[in-house]
Amino acid sequence: MATGLKAPSERARVRRMHERGAYDRPTIDAVLDAQPLAHVAWTLNGQPRVTPTLQWREGDRVYWHGSAASPMLEHCADAQVCIAVTLMDGFVLARSAYNHSVNYRSVVLFGRARSVTDPAEKLARLRAMMEQLFPGRWGTLRAMTAQEIRATSMLSLPIDEASAKVRSGPPGDDADDLALPIWAGVVPLRIETLPPVADPRSPPGLEVPAHACSVRVGGMPG
């Protein structure tokens, strides 16, 4: 997966298994777009914290949001953060315990988070997030109130200090182990969406919208 491109910074450079590293935007963007779940690393009173949240990408930035009362969003505003996004594509079973591994796609981003405060921009970003996950849903919803927009905090991070790391393929067994009578291979993994379950409090007769049946997350590479 290595592209030969220079890493954007020393802290973003892949050191362990550096041949799996990539710094090109198509690789990085593909991982970000395939996995909404992210983990944000930040500090509070000098103590490390990691918070899971949903992220979405628009152009050259990633965004995440939550309650205006969130300590994570409050302390990350105008602060250095690290965001990790990961997909597991399979367990890799080798002929030795040492060579077992996983197939995965991951991205780590570094930088200073920016707070999105303008109500119009915040509303536009929320619409973009909704439409990426459930195309066509935003237009069916009641409009957000001014109070709901004020109660929502949002941060963004530029995608200019980032690296991807990807493993794919069969086990990397030692040559001397290949003839051993031990099964080896890959157990593929995938994120699967199941049939929608309606809220039992909904009015009778409502049809399930198409966007609730077509959610796609974590598509396999290639």
Side-chain angles (χ1 to χ4, degrees), residues 17 46 55 74 107 128 134 136 148 156 158 161 178 184 197 218:
M17 298 289 185
Q55 64 81 26
E74 177 185 357
V107 163
F134 319 110
E148 288 174 336
S156 75
E161 191 177 1
L178 296 179
V197 178

Side-chain angles (χ1 to χ4, degrees), residues 1 17 19-22 27 31 89 102-107 164-168 221:
M1 287 301 303
M17 298 289 185
E19 68 278 4
R20 298 179 184 173
T27 300
V31 175
D89 294 323
V102 294
N103 285 340
Y104 61 89
R105 291 164 285 157
S106 65
V107 163
K165 194 174 182 183
V166 178
R167 189 204 189 279
S168 60

Side-chain angles (χ1 to χ4, degrees), residues 26-35 55 85-87 105-107 164:
T27 300
I28 291 169
D29 291 354
V31 175
L32 296 175
D33 295 346
Q35 174 59 283
Q55 64 81 26
V85 176
T86 306
L87 297 113
R105 291 164 285 157
S106 65
V107 163

Side-chain angles (χ1 to χ4, degrees), residues 1-2 13-23 164-165:
M1 287 301 303
R13 182 170 62 88
V14 176
R15 292 173 172 79
R16 175 66 178 157
M17 298 289 185
H18 62 85
E19 68 278 4
R20 298 179 184 173
Y23 309 100
K165 194 174 182 183

Side-chain angles (χ1 to χ4, degrees), residues 30-99:
V31 175
L32 296 175
D33 295 346
Q35 174 59 283
L37 179 62
H39 289 81
V40 180
W42 54 291
T43 58
L44 177 63
N45 299 324
Q47 298 298 314
R49 299 284 191 275
V50 175
T51 303
T53 189
L54 293 184
Q55 64 81 26
W56 70 99
R57 182 184 68 86
E58 292 186 66
D60 295 331
R61 303 187 76 90
V62 295
Y63 294 83
W64 66 105
H65 79 296
S67 168
S70 164
M72 181 268 287
L73 292 168
E74 177 185 357
H75 286 83
C76 286
D78 198 33
Q80 289 289 327
V81 300
C82 176
I83 299 179
V85 176
T86 306
L87 297 113
M88 282 184 60
D89 294 323
F91 290 109
V92 180
L93 281 63
R95 295 164 179 84
S96 70
Y98 181 80
N99 285 320

Side-chain angles (χ1 to χ4, degrees), residues 94-174:
R95 295 164 179 84
S96 70
Y98 181 80
N99 285 320
H100 278 60
S101 187
V102 294
N103 285 340
Y104 61 89
R105 291 164 285 157
S106 65
V107 163
V108 176
L109 303 100
F110 298 90
R112 184 173 296 277
R114 178 180 72 87
S115 182
V116 178
T117 57
D118 178 71
E121 182 185 1
K122 197 184 295 185
L123 191 63
R125 302 288 76 78
L126 290 171
R127 176 174 183 167
M129 176 197 68
M130 186 72 68
E131 288 299 299
Q132 286 183 23
L133 288 173
F134 319 110
R137 184 164 182 80
W138 184 266
T140 72
L141 305 176
R142 72 156 174 80
M144 289 187 67
T145 67
Q147 174 56 34
E148 288 174 336
I149 295 174
R150 285 194 297 270
T152 302
S153 289
M154 182 180 298
L155 298 177
S156 75
L157 191 71
I159 310 173
D160 58 11
E161 191 177 1
S163 59
K165 194 174 182 183
V166 178
R167 189 204 189 279
S168 60
D173 273 309
D174 299 340

Side-chain angles (χ1 to χ4, degrees), residues 179-193:
L180 294 173
I182 302 170
W183 188 91
V186 176
V187 180
L189 300 173
R190 69 180 180 186
I191 300 173
E192 182 180 8
T193 54

